[in-house]
Amino acid sequence: MATRTDAPTRREQILKEAARLFAERGFHGVGVDEIGAAVGISGPGLYRHFAGKDAMLAELLVGISGQLLTGAKRRQREADGTAPEAVLDSLIEGHIDFALDDRPLITLHDRELDRLRDSDRKLVRQLQRQYVELWVGVLREVYPGLAEPAARSAVHSVFGLLNSTPHLGRPGSLPGRGVTAELLHRMARGAFAAAGAE
C-alpha cells in the first residue's frame, strides 16, 4: 500500500490489522475489540481514530484505489521521455508490488466492496476507471494497432492475473518474492504481447 520506510502511524497500523482480519474472517466476523487488541489498544480506543468499522473499510478501499492511481501517474511522469515499453514495465512493477504486498486488500475488495456506502463505492469505481484508462493509453502506445476495447480487455485480464496472488497460498509457501514478481511480470508482458499480436 505504501513504500514508506519510516514507522507506520497508529492509524496505519489499525488499517493494516483491520485489512488482515477482515480478509481472514469477513467484515462482519470481526469486532472493533479484536482490531484494537491486534494493535494494542482497547476497542473503544479505536474511535479516536475512526468512526467505526465502516469508516475503516471505506478508507482501506478508497485509499488503495487512490494510491494505485497516484502511483501509476507518478511512474508515468518519471518515465516521461523513455520508450513506452519502459513505462508499461514500470506500471506492471508497481501493480505487482501491490499484489504481493497488499494481498488482504485484494481479498477485501473482492468480498466487501458492496458494503461501502454508495458514494464511497462510486469513488472507488471512478478511481479504478482512471487507473485502467491510464494503462490503456500506455498499452496502445506499445501496441498502436490494438483497438481501444481490446486494450481495455487486456488490461482487465492482466489485473485479474496479477490480483490472483491471494490464491497462491500462504506468503511463506511462495518461491520467494523476487522470483514470484519476475514470473508475474513475464506473464503480464506475455499476455499483453498476445493481445498486441491481434
Side-chain angles (χ1 to χ4, degrees):
M1 200 153 125
T3 56
R4 50 186 291 161
T5 55
D6 50 330
T9 65
R10 177 52 60 107
R11 189 176 178 85
E12 290 167 337
Q13 291 172 342
I14 293 168
L15 286 172
K16 181 178 180 181
E17 289 305 314
R20 180 183 65 79
L21 290 167
F22 292 159
E24 285 176 1
R25 302 210 306 270
F27 180 73
H28 288 302
V30 179
V32 291
D33 290 337
E34 294 167 277
I35 299 169
V39 294
I41 61 176
S42 68
L46 288 179
Y47 293 109
R48 288 196 301 272
H49 302 277
F50 296 96
K53 287 196 320 179
D54 290 334
M56 289 180 219
L57 182 64
E59 187 158 334
L60 284 164
L61 295 181
V62 173
I64 193 56
S65 298
Q67 288 173 40
L68 284 169
L69 178 59
T70 300
K73 287 179 177 178
R74 177 183 48 77
R75 286 172 176 272
Q76 190 176 36
R77 272 193 318 273
E78 289 172 353
D80 189 37
T82 63
E85 288 86 355
V87 181
L88 183 60
D89 281 332
S90 184
L91 291 177
I92 292 169
E93 288 164 10
H95 199 95
I96 288 171
D97 286 343
F98 157 68
L100 291 176
D101 298 339
D102 292 306
R103 293 165 68 186
L105 287 175
I106 296 172
T107 301
L108 198 58
H109 179 276
D110 289 346
R111 291 183 188 163
E112 311 291 356
L113 182 63
D114 289 341
R115 298 196 190 285
L116 293 181
R117 293 179 310 180
D118 284 346
S119 59
D120 289 328
R121 190 167 54 252
K122 285 177 183 173
L123 180 54
V124 168
R125 294 297 191 201
Q126 178 187 17
L127 293 166
Q128 290 174 339
R129 277 193 299 275
Q130 292 176 46
Y131 184 59
V132 168
E133 293 311 308
L134 186 151
W135 278 68
V136 168
V138 172
L139 186 60
R140 294 188 74 209
E141 287 183 49
V142 176
Y143 301 103
L146 188 60
E148 190 173 308
R152 194 169 292 110
S153 294
V155 168
H156 281 291
S157 297
V158 166
F159 287 170
L161 166 71
L162 299 180
N163 291 347
S164 68
T165 54
H167 308 291
L168 297 179
R170 294 188 317 275
S173 67
L174 298 178
R177 192 189 189 287
V179 173
T180 303
E182 288 173 17
L183 174 63
L184 290 171
H185 197 116
R186 285 197 310 274
M187 292 174 74
R189 283 305 300 262
F192 284 142
E198 290 295 315

